[in-house]
């Protein structure tokens, strides 16, 4: 027997099973219910709403085998056979993350195909695999940030069982799984939930209408989001969630939704006896997100730190346009390595105002900040989706990797970065509606034409070739240049895991100094020195080096309290201090 439930205040929904419609019974708080004895797992169903022409799927559907516009299907979470009973979890502190898009990680673009590449990630040495959103969205492929079914894994990737097989296999390999989730808006097509109830507010954000988090009926909307969060962690055994663009969650309630989620996830973590993590993406530069609730914060475990990316990217590439305007100097790099944020109550030229709040270096651990050289946004939101590989020399790529993976933050790699992949990662969609497809195509071209790009040079998001060229080319891994880069990433991650100084999270213990195109970072008894110049440089370590643990180029020479660095190179040394 299956009990069908739906929240639809001021509606009188009917349940559609096959060709028949069934009246539902009203319950408390605008909920409707119906028990159907012979509707077991695998039964397709939908709801019929007055004044809505066609039956629509369940807002809490666990399975959409015919896409987001098709009927829902009853799914039994207990039917899957898990083999990860001995899995004790992975926490963010001490971990290295790896961001992956299922659709472009492998040629087949499925959960099962990704499983075949997990040994590569084990060899690399990462700890947590972060999947871009996999909940059901309109079309066959896109980035995933226009999802509309917040309880159902995308069918083209492998559906509910496919995601479970991936998580189960990852745990068997010792890898944790973080899932990227979007709760700040619904996608533009297939969002049927607002037809049932007041899921949306009168406000809007960059991507669409805002969620109703603090108005009439908001209690059930918040419950909708919280239940989705708990479902991924409990029923799919994932180890953490990355919460997309939380600055777009407008909530004026006394207890912010983020704090509510932190409380409920902590309760679930205690019950499951394994660590569960919430990682925020935020444009606010506000450490309140990761400040413990006992100290008046929201109690999230970590947040993305774009300032670290901007400091590294501008320094390595020389780019200064847009939001990069205030970045690009070694002074900026020192500020972010020692204090996490550059904009910390300081003037932002891009915003035309002061921005951010300082981080308490004495009390806030560096592992609460996820740092990266590249990610899906910073590559894919460039006009042609070009990676750093297209811009930087191998030497500077290696310098960037060294600075990232020896930083006091939680480092994250973007798929293929570890072998200097040359495939772009572009903005791609597969909207079946002609009007929506045209709007996306034209909007993308207009956006970049304003920044000086010829419209013809901007890839068409709807062209299948844009999606295909964004897939990783795994044959590169064994080719000259790429294999050496992979070896360096492996060594850097292994060194990070083996040397406690390199994972020490306390920002107050990080000391940075720099000169003309060189920088030195002291991490306890270890020092990281980088030469960004095209000529050799002699750099003071302010301590006597005793051993070279890693060098990105041959020809490093130790001299008393100094090191001679080849052009565009970096070194990690143990010192006498």
């Amino acid at each position: 027997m299956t009990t069908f439930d739906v929240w639809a205040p001021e509606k009188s929904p009917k349940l559609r099973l096959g060709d028949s419609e069934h009246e539902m019974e009203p319950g408390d708080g605008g909920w409707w219910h119906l028990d159907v004895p012979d509707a077991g797992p695998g039964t397709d169903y939908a709801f019929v709403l007055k004044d809505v022409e066609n039956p629509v799927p369940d807002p809490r559907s666990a399975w959409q085998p015919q896409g987001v516009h098709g009927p829902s299907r009853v799914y039994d979470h207990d039917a899957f056979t898990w083999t990860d009973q001995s899995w004790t979890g992975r926490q963010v502190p001490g971990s290295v993350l790896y961001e992956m898009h299922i659709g472009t990680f492998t040629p087949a673009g499925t959960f099962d195909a990704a499983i075949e590449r997990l040994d590569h990630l084990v060899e690399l040495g990462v700890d947590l695999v972060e999947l871009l959103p996999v909940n059901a969205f309109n079309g066959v492929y896109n980035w995933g940030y226009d999802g509309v079914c917040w309880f159902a894994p995308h069918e083209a990737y492998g559906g509910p069982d496919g995601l479970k097989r991936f998580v189960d296999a990852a745990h068997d390999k010792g890898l944790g799984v973080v899932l990227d989730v979007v709760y700040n808006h619904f996608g533009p097509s297939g969002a049927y939930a607002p037809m049932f109830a007041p899921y949306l507010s009168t406000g809007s954000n960059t991507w669409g209408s805002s969620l109703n988090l603090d108005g009439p009926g908001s209690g059930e909307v918040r419950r909708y989001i919280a239940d989705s969060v708990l479902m991924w962690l409990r029923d799919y055994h994932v180890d953490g969630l990355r919460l997309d663009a939380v600055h777009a969650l407008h909530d004026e309630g006394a207890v912010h939704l983020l704090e509510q989620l932190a409380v409920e996830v902590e309760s679930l973590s205690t019950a499951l006896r394994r660590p569960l993590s919430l990682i925020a993406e935020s444009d606010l530069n506000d450490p309140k997100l990761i400040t413990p609730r006992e100290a008046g914060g929201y109690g999230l475990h970590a947040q993305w730190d774009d300032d670290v990316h901007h400091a590294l990217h501008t320094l390595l590439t020389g780019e200064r346009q847009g939001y990069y305007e205030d970045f690009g100097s070694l002074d900026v790099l020192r500020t972010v390595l020692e204090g996490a944020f550059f904009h910390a109550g300081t003037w932002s030229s891009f915003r035309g105002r002061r921005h951010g709040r300082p981080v308490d270096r004495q009390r806030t651990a560096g592992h609460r900040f996820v740092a990266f050289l590249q990610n899906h946004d910073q590559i894919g939101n460039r006009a042609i989706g070009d990676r750093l590989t297209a811009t930087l020399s191998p030497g500077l790529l290696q310098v960037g990797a060294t600075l990232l993976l020896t930083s006091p933050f939680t480092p994250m790699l973007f798929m293929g970065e570890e072998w200097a992949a040359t495939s772009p990662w572009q903005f791609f969609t597969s909207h079946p509606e002609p009007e929506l497809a045209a709007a996306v195509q034209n909007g993308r071209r207009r956006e970049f034409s304003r920044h000086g790009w010829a419209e013809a040079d901007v890839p068409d998001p709807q062209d299948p070739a844009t999606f295909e060229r964004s897939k990783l080319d795994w044959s590169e891994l064994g080719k000259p240049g790429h294999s050496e880069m992979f070896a360096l990433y492996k060594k850097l991650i292994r060194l990070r895991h083996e040397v406690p100084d390199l994972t020490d999270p306390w920002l107050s213990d990080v000391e940075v100094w720099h000169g003309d195109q060189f920088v030195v970072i002291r991490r306890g008894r270890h020092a990281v020195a980088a030469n960004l110049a095209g000529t050799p440089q002699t750099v003071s370590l302010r301590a006597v080096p005793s051993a070279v643990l890693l060098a990105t180029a041959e020809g490093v020479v130790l001299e008393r309290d100094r090191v001679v660095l080849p052009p565009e190179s970096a070194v990690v040394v143990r010192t006498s201090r």
Side-chain angles (χ1 to χ4, degrees):
M1 183 178 73
T2 297
T3 298
F4 295 90
D5 303 281
V6 67
W7 180 51
E10 301 182 9
K11 307 280 184 178
S12 298
K14 296 180 181 180
L15 177 69
R16 169 68 68 88
L17 291 172
D19 295 328
S20 62
E21 295 182 3
H22 304 264
E23 299 285 344
M24 302 189 73
E25 300 174 1
D28 296 334
W31 280 88
W32 297 79
H33 314 277
L34 184 64
D35 293 334
V36 182
D38 56 350
T43 300
D44 286 348
Y45 69 101
F47 293 107
V48 177
L49 297 175
K50 185 179 179 181
D51 299 327
V52 177
E53 182 177 356
N54 297 312
V56 294
D58 185 352
R60 288 175 173 250
S61 171
W63 194 3
Q64 289 295 123
Q66 298 178 45
V68 299
H69 299 290
S72 302
R73 181 168 293 175
V74 177
Y75 180 77
D76 181 8
H77 277 292
D78 294 331
F80 185 83
T81 303
W82 290 93
T83 66
D84 67 348
Q85 288 79 10
S86 62
W87 177 250
T88 57
R90 282 284 181 275
Q91 62 176 7
V92 171
S95 291
V96 176
L97 281 75
Y98 186 95
E99 191 182 31
M100 172 198 303
H101 178 261
I102 287 293
T104 52
F105 184 60
T106 64
T110 64
F111 293 123
D112 288 330
I115 289 172
E116 299 302 313
R117 294 292 183 178
L118 290 179
D119 285 338
H120 167 79
L121 303 183
V122 173
E123 182 184 357
L124 176 60
V126 299
D127 306 283
L128 290 164
V129 181
E130 182 173 313
L131 303 182
L132 269 67
V134 300
N135 57 293
F137 52 78
N138 183 47
V140 179
Y141 54 80
N142 70 26
W143 283 15
Y145 292 90
D146 279 335
V148 291
C149 297
W150 294 354
F151 292 75
H154 191 53
E155 187 67 15
Y157 290 164
D161 281 0
L163 177 56
K164 289 182 177 181
R165 286 192 297 270
F166 178 85
V167 175
D168 199 45
H171 288 173
D172 182 62
K173 303 286 186 182
L175 299 167
V177 179
V178 174
L179 194 60
D180 198 338
V181 288
V182 184
Y183 297 121
N184 52 58
H185 76 290
F186 288 107
S189 179
Y192 294 103
M195 294 182 179
F196 288 82
Y199 283 90
L200 302 177
S201 73
T202 57
S204 63
N205 56 50
T206 304
W207 306 281
S209 297
S210 298
L211 272 291
N212 172 24
L213 302 180
D214 51 14
S218 60
E220 287 293 350
V221 179
R222 296 167 72 100
R223 189 71 261 147
Y224 180 73
I225 295 171
D227 286 349
S228 172
V229 164
L230 299 177
M231 178 209 64
W232 296 121
L233 298 168
R234 179 191 60 238
D235 298 333
Y236 286 92
H237 292 203
V238 302
D239 303 281
L241 300 176
R242 181 262 194 189
L243 306 172
D244 180 69
V246 299
H247 52 270
L249 297 171
H250 181 80
D251 183 3
E252 295 185 1
V255 178
H256 194 280
L257 175 68
L258 294 176
E259 183 179 357
Q260 176 185 340
L261 296 180
V263 170
E264 296 197 26
V265 168
E266 182 68 20
S267 296
L268 180 62
S269 175
T270 303
L272 297 178
R273 295 189 296 171
R274 60 182 173 92
L276 301 174
S277 301
L278 292 177
I279 303 170
E281 182 208 16
S282 173
D283 186 44
L284 301 178
N285 278 23
D286 187 353
K288 182 177 183 178
L289 298 175
I290 54 173
T291 299
R293 293 179 59 246
E294 297 89 335
Y298 290 159
L300 303 182
H301 300 88
Q303 69 179 91
W304 278 26
D305 191 337
D306 282 339
D307 282 13
V308 177
H309 167 270
H310 298 350
L312 289 169
H313 182 92
T314 53
L315 190 63
L316 294 168
T317 66
E319 294 182 6
R320 300 290 188 276
Q321 74 277 14
Y323 49 68
Y324 292 149
E325 184 176 354
D326 294 332
F327 297 82
S329 70
L330 286 166
D331 273 336
V332 170
L333 181 63
R334 179 184 63 192
T335 298
V336 298
L337 289 176
E338 292 182 345
F341 293 150
F342 175 66
H343 287 306
T346 56
W347 178 260
S348 167
S349 300
F350 176 70
R351 298 172 178 85
R353 58 172 174 80
R354 297 175 72 87
H355 181 65
R357 179 185 293 181
V359 171
D360 187 336
R361 297 176 66 229
Q362 299 291 332
R363 294 180 173 85
T364 306
H367 61 64
R368 294 188 179 275
F369 301 93
V370 176
F372 33 83
L373 273 175
Q374 304 180 76
N375 65 32
H376 74 276
D377 267 334
Q378 301 300 339
I379 300 173
N381 282 327
R382 296 171 67 84
I384 59 175
D386 50 320
R387 296 169 178 260
L388 285 178
T389 316
T391 305
L392 299 182
S393 65
L396 287 180
L397 285 172
Q398 293 169 348
V399 168
T402 303
L403 293 175
L404 172 69
L405 288 164
T406 60
S407 75
F409 312 115
T410 297
M412 184 181 76
L413 315 180
F414 183 70
M415 61 179 194
E417 173 186 338
E418 70 274 19
W419 76 72
T422 60
S423 53
W425 203 74
Q426 300 176 332
F427 182 70
F428 47 82
T429 56
S430 59
H431 296 299
E433 301 92 341
E435 298 83 3
L436 182 55
V440 172
Q441 291 167 325
N442 296 332
R444 188 76 175 176
R445 287 169 175 160
R446 284 196 302 269
E447 176 186 355
F448 285 101
S449 67
R450 292 194 295 267
H451 297 284
W453 289 85
E455 289 194 8
D457 293 337
V458 180
D460 178 359
Q462 284 285 124
D463 185 347
T466 304
F467 171 63
E468 291 297 326
R469 76 171 65 96
S470 297
K471 294 186 176 185
L472 287 177
D473 178 4
W474 285 87
S475 69
E476 289 183 329
L477 186 54
K479 295 179 180 179
H482 300 288
S483 58
E484 289 83 356
M485 188 67 72
F486 182 53
L488 174 67
Y489 269 83
K490 287 194 295 183
K491 189 169 184 179
L492 279 166
I493 293 173
R494 185 173 67 249
L495 197 63
R496 182 178 181 88
H497 286 152
E498 292 175 352
V499 178
D501 279 349
L502 299 183
T503 50
D504 188 329
W506 298 113
L507 299 175
S508 56
D509 293 336
V510 178
E511 183 182 3
V512 180
W513 62 92
H514 59 83
D516 184 13
Q517 297 191 71
F518 73 82
V519 62
V520 180
I521 306 100
R522 177 173 290 149
R523 307 294 314 281
R525 289 192 57 203
H526 294 79
V528 181
N531 176 18
L532 288 83
T535 56
Q537 293 214 74
T538 301
V539 175
S540 171
L541 298 175
R542 300 183 183 176
V544 177
S546 58
V548 174
L549 304 186
L550 178 144
T552 64
E554 296 182 354
V556 171
V557 179
L558 302 181
E559 294 181 348
R560 297 188 300 278
D561 62 347
R562 300 176 298 175
V563 59
V564 180
L565 293 174
E568 296 182 347
S569 69
V571 65
V572 182
V573 300
R574 182 181 298 116
T575 72
S576 58
R577 179 176 173 177

